[in-house]
Amino acid sequence: MTASNSCTATRAEFESGTVPIHCSAWPPATLTASYPALEQDIEADVVVIGAGLAGSSVALHLAERGISVVVVEAAQPGDGASGRNAGHVQPFLDALEPLQSWPGQGQPFIDFFIENRNIVFDLCARHGIDGDAVKSGMVEAAYKKQGALETKAARWQKLGYEVDVIGADRLREMLGTDAYSYGLHWREGGQVNPYLFTHGLTSAAAGLGARVFGDSPALSCDKRGQGWIVTTPRGSVRAQKVIICTNGHTGNAFFPELARTRYPLVACAMATKPLPQAVLDTVNPARVALTQYPAGLFPIVIDGRKRMITATIPYPGRADAAQTYFAYFLRYLHRTFPQTRGAAIELESYWTGVTASSSHVYHNDFAKLYEVADGVMALMNLGTWGNVMGPLLGMNLAHAIAAERPQDLLMPVERPASVRFPRLFEFKIRHLAIPAARVADRFGLV
Ligand SMILES: Cc1cc2nc3c(=O)[nH]c(=O)nc-3n(C[C@H](O)[C@H](O)[C@H](O)COP(=O)(O)OP(=O)(O)OC[C@H]3O[C@@H](n4cnc5c(N)ncnc54)[C@H](O)[C@@H]3O)c2cc1C
């Protein structure tokens, strides 16, 4: 099935979020560094399985502390959700209540999050990563006053954030539309090319001595003496510690219980061809990362190549219907930004990916840190906000390992536990919430 000019993938690949990574708009035409397969038996202090945002960050921060680390990645860095996402860098947490059960009732994590909320931009600056990261701020835009947004702004203002409640005039100025009359403007956060950022993290780790192997899926993970041996098709790594950061993407045949800890959700994303100048001049001239409140139907960024990138949730069984979702997106654009009617806005790329969430309640969705066995941990289920959480939690985990201070971990360490009704989240979102939100948005009912 052809979904865009260059992407040829099967319906099953679209439906499982595993279309080839070049279907995503984020990889450059000439692919960045590719890492060789592991072809020998080697040793390290720590082996990290999976080079997405989480695994790359763990590796980078371990290497920075002088720990000997090996990364084995099934494909190449960024091949999972990290190379497929919508590029939003969210500087705040959606809810604080679920953190009550975290160490110190979540306060140490909240403090750490606040201190490191600019981690994407900081890491790019520190390691010279060219991730097209722009700290352009974020806008949550609504058709009418929303009490929940006002409460959220007050809460984060108290925590020291520069976030403003804005009205129609300011929204018009920033976004170039009269459609919204109420919203929040977060001065921090913004956007990133998540594929380039993930590659940048991996290559910074490699620069600091981490040994990175691509095309090396971990096939097994077995206890050997005091440590573990992770086997790939043509090699193996013996290490004291194993950190699994596979996001449940291709599954872990060796620890199948991990795949049952998550609510998977297939999401689709698309990029336009570079926009006509008139559109660039009048749509979102502030270049903020834009999301719509409450449903976030079409989060939008305009990237360094002047393309508009958005994401949405496909109908069940119709994840390959690129033209359908692009038509929905255009309808939204034309209605919200009438100046785009008649403009040549064309689809360049369409792809899908899978998110792995720890909760079927959207706002309760926080990443999980599992102790799978003695010496084997898994950092996964980063949900829909991994651009900040992956690097941030990876850094905390790496620092705690390097210092041999498990008490420094900010997340609770849990045993993997199966979620109940794993398809519930997907059913709710794909069958009910998103179709209802599309109708409500179309008729301005929210
Ligand atoms: C369409 C879409 C839009 C999104 N939008 C946003 C957004 O705007 N902002 C945001 O912050 N987040 C967003 N997210 C979520 C974000 O992308 C994820 O939370 C994040 O990428 C997860 O990172 P990760 O490292 O845990 O997993 P992944 O990036 O999935 O990495 C897991 C890696 O493990 C590898 N792997 C799997 N099995 C094995 C094995 N056996 N051996 C070796 N390697 C293995 C995979 O190949 C993969 O590279 C979005 C996600 C999607 C799908």
Side-chain angles (χ1 to χ4, degrees):
M1 169 112 6
T2 301
S4 66
N5 290 347
S6 60
C7 173
T8 303
T10 63
R11 173 169 281 189
E13 287 173 318
F14 278 110
E15 197 53 42
S16 60
T18 57
V19 295
I21 192 65
H22 70 258
C23 295
S24 162
W26 297 117
T30 314
L31 279 183
T32 18
S34 79
Y35 295 88
L38 176 63
E39 306 220 335
Q40 37 179 330
D41 301 325
I42 57 175
E43 294 189 8
D45 296 329
V46 181
V47 55
V48 176
I49 305 179
L53 287 157
S56 302
S57 172
V58 172
L60 169 59
H61 290 100
L62 282 174
E64 242 179 2
R65 299 270 158 128
I67 305 291
S68 138
V69 58
V70 166
V71 180
V72 290
E73 160 57 45
Q76 291 292 330
D79 196 77
S82 302
R84 298 160 190 267
N85 76 41
H88 283 232
V89 177
Q90 178 176 304
F92 58 88
L93 300 168
D94 278 319
L96 303 184
E97 294 73 17
L99 301 172
Q100 283 294 315
S101 61
W102 287 35
Q105 295 179 311
Q107 197 54 51
F109 169 74
I110 294 167
D111 294 344
F112 181 76
F113 180 88
I114 291 172
E115 190 186 335
N116 293 291
R117 61 190 184 264
N118 290 310
I119 189 164
V120 172
F121 310 107
D122 293 346
L123 286 173
C124 286
R126 179 140 56 95
H127 296 285
I129 297 171
D130 186 7
D132 197 13
V134 189
K135 196 168 149 192
S136 51
M138 280 187 82
V139 165
E140 294 179 87
Y143 293 125
K144 55 186 186 214
K145 185 171 161 58
Q146 300 279 350
L149 284 184
E150 196 164 336
T151 307
K152 182 155 84 170
R155 167 186 265 179
W156 288 93
Q157 281 163 353
K158 268 198 206 129
L159 292 168
Y161 273 58
E162 287 187 85
V163 48
D164 305 318
V165 176
I166 53 176
D169 289 347
R170 188 83 183 105
L171 283 159
R172 185 183 311 109
E173 205 179 306
M174 295 183 77
L175 302 179
T177 171
D178 287 324
Y180 299 112
S181 63
Y182 192 82
L184 296 190
H185 175 207
W186 301 84
R187 304 282 178 99
E188 292 169 300
Q191 64 189 71
V192 70
N193 176 324
Y195 177 90
L196 289 180
F197 178 47
T198 306
H199 259 268
L201 293 177
T202 317
S203 116
L208 290 167
R211 286 165 285 167
V212 181
F213 298 95
D215 304 318
S216 301
L219 302 175
S220 64
C221 179
D222 300 306
K223 186 97 182 127
R224 279 297 151 83
Q226 297 298 306
W228 292 85
I229 185 153
V230 170
T231 309
T232 64
R234 295 200 293 278
S236 70
V237 191
R238 187 189 275 265
Q240 287 300 310
K241 285 195 166 46
V242 182
I243 309 295
I244 301 175
C245 297
T246 53
N247 193 30
H249 207 265
T250 57
N252 307 286
F254 35 97
F255 291 122
E257 62 270 40
L258 285 173
R260 296 194 288 267
T261 60
R262 68 195 176 111
Y263 293 94
L265 176 67
V266 171
C268 59
M270 52 201 135
T272 66
K273 292 183 180 169
L275 295 164
Q277 194 56 45
V279 174
L280 288 167
D281 290 344
T282 61
V283 174
N284 188 4
R287 291 291 185 268
V288 288
L290 166 64
T291 184
Q292 306 79 16
Y293 188 87
L297 269 186
F298 288 112
I300 291 175
V301 296
I302 297 176
D303 80 344
R305 288 179 49 205
K306 303 182 177 174
R307 306 170 303 173
M308 206 179 266
I309 293 166
T310 189
T312 189
I313 305 294
Y315 289 119
R318 295 187 54 207
D320 60 331
Q323 294 303 336
T324 301
Y325 307 114
F326 186 58
Y328 288 164
F329 178 55
L330 278 185
R331 194 169 69 194
Y332 161 81
L333 267 188
H334 292 161
R335 197 178 59 242
T336 310
F337 302 93
Q339 65 272 38
T340 60
R341 291 176 195 161
I345 301 179
E346 294 172 51
L347 182 63
E348 181 187 86
S349 321
Y350 172 86
W351 67 97
T352 59
V354 70
T355 63
S357 295
S358 63
S359 169
H360 63 84
V361 180
Y362 188 78
H363 290 115
N364 289 350
D365 184 20
F366 279 91
K368 294 277 188 183
L369 181 60
Y370 297 113
E371 180 161 45
V372 190
D374 190 19
V376 182
M377 298 189 100
L379 173 60
M380 49 209 311
N381 300 341
L382 267 64
T384 51
W385 293 110
N387 283 342
V388 172
M389 289 300 226
L392 192 95
L393 295 172
M395 175 166 82
N396 174 238
L397 176 56
H399 286 174
I401 291 172
E404 297 187 47
R405 285 176 54 88
Q407 64 271 33
D408 290 352
L409 289 170
L410 300 169
M411 311 172 69
V413 181
E414 302 173 37
R415 286 280 175 192
S418 301
V419 297
R420 296 181 69 209
F421 312 118
R423 291 282 156 195
L424 183 65
F425 184 56
E426 182 153 44
F427 181 85
K428 256 186 5 190
I429 302 278
R430 286 179 87 179
H431 286 259
L432 308 174
I434 292 294
R438 275 194 190 114
V439 173
D441 184 73
R442 190 169 180 188
F443 295 104
L445 300 176
V446 282

